[in-house]
Amino acid sequence: EPTERGGYLFGRGVSDNKGNLLARLQAIEAYRATIGELPLRIRVLYEGEEESGSAHLAAFVARHGERLRADGCVWEAGYKDAAGRATISCGLKGIAYVDLQVRGAKKDAHSSLATIVPNPAWRLVWALATLKNAADEITIDGFMDLVRPPTAAERAVLEDLAFDEQGMLRIHGITRFVRDLHGYELKKKHFLEPTCTICGIVSGYTGAGSKTVLPAVASAKIDFRLVPDLTPDKVVSLLRAHLDRRGFDDVEVVPGHGESPSRWPIDSVAATAAVAACRSAYGSAPVVYPLLAGSGPMAQVCDTLNIPVAGFGSGNAASANHAPNENIAISDYVDHIRAFGRFLHAFSGRVLD
């Protein structure tokens, strides 16, 4: 159950993304109660499989595409940045999720046999070490060749983009960013470059005390956040070929869920209305991101139907999505109701006070 404490609401999914979704329904109610009938038609699409890859969404869009067509889309995610500024995102990174599995002996063995019996844990570690180098550069053959370089316009946007570095360091309890990056290079890496992340590794005995075991199995879960022109299928193919070239044909690659990236112009009709709405609701200009560094099924819907996207919402930079104590500020929730109502007004061509 959600818990209210110190002006915040804590609960699983409260930021990602129950708060955003419910606030928009309440904004529609508030608009009709205070102003009158809506100035436009709204189509609401909720689906419950986003965290596991939205396996049935593409078929749903193909079947009901005509009923889903729209002039703009407000995506489900949105947050204030570390400085407390409203943000608007105009796209999402894609994702490719894979399991790497290595098998050795038919069952766990005594560790004295490590002299002659192969250890799948070491095989997995050695394979993983070929995917990135000590400079945090992805070294999978051909991977970075598929990353679309930023245009002059995108470079200019990043140069001017407000990004609270000290606030981000403080929130995450770290003293420096990867490669000690700052300024433009930090923003370019965060917004426009892919990732290769070890999400977890399992092998052998990891309980209390000691157990001298040579494990029979080792596995790792990895996610890749994707930017144009990377796709999940391309990543899996490149990864398999990369491992085979280095003699790791015993490392099984098991594809999980995947989403393609989606990026929309920062001056689209949806983004323009979102900027006007947030400026009116918050009393200051929002920060417009070229995309959100997270992932979701945006391409399955908006790219398929050619619907421009803007995302803004009720979260904050310390909302702790996917972590203990996920939260939103109640004041931010109310502000998002106000901002979304103003978005409806602005998107329909009406002047905001």
Side-chain angles (χ1 to χ4, degrees), residues 289-311:
Y289 293 156
L291 51 70
L292 196 67
S295 307
M298 185 181 289
Q300 291 195 45
V301 181
C302 297
D303 289 41
T304 298
L305 301 176
N306 195 32
I307 305 173
V309 179

Side-chain angles (χ1 to χ4, degrees), residues 77-108:
Y79 311 92
K80 286 183 176 177
D81 68 7
R85 295 170 293 220
T87 66
I88 296 169
S89 56
C90 298
L92 290 175
K93 290 185 178 181
I95 189 170
Y97 204 97
V98 302
D99 282 282
L100 298 186
Q101 299 177 359
V102 187
R103 300 183 182 277
K106 64 181 181 181
K107 60 182 180 180
D108 288 354

Side-chain angles (χ1 to χ4, degrees), residues 96-103 123-124 127-128 130-131 140 143 196 218-224 231-245 247-257:
Y97 204 97
V98 302
D99 282 282
L100 298 186
Q101 299 177 359
V102 187
R103 300 183 182 277
R123 289 292 293 170
L124 180 62
L128 291 171
T130 72
L131 306 185
I140 298 171
F143 187 94
C196 171
S219 64
K221 291 185 177 292
I222 301 177
D223 77 38
F224 299 87
T231 66
D233 288 345
K234 290 177 182 177
V235 169
V236 171
S237 177
L238 288 172
L239 177 60
R240 178 71 273 164
H242 171 92
L243 293 171
D244 288 348
R245 286 190 201 96
F248 291 108
D249 55 334
D250 56 328
V251 178
E252 184 180 4
V253 178
V254 182
H257 69 274

Side-chain angles (χ1 to χ4, degrees), residues 200-211:
I201 303 176
V202 178
S203 186
Y205 179 75
T206 59
S210 60
K211 182 181 179 183

Side-chain angles (χ1 to χ4, degrees), residues 309-337:
V309 179
F312 59 102
S314 59
N316 62 77
S319 278
N321 296 347
H322 295 202
N325 294 318
E326 185 173 344
N327 70 88
I328 55 172
I330 295 173
S331 60
D332 289 340
Y333 180 83
V334 174
D335 281 345
H336 186 52
I337 294 175

Side-chain angles (χ1 to χ4, degrees), residues 182-195:
H182 299 280
Y184 171 79
E185 291 299 326
L186 176 67
K187 292 181 284 189
K188 179 167 75 75
K189 187 176 190 329
H190 184 53
F191 290 110
L192 300 184
E193 294 187 8
T195 67

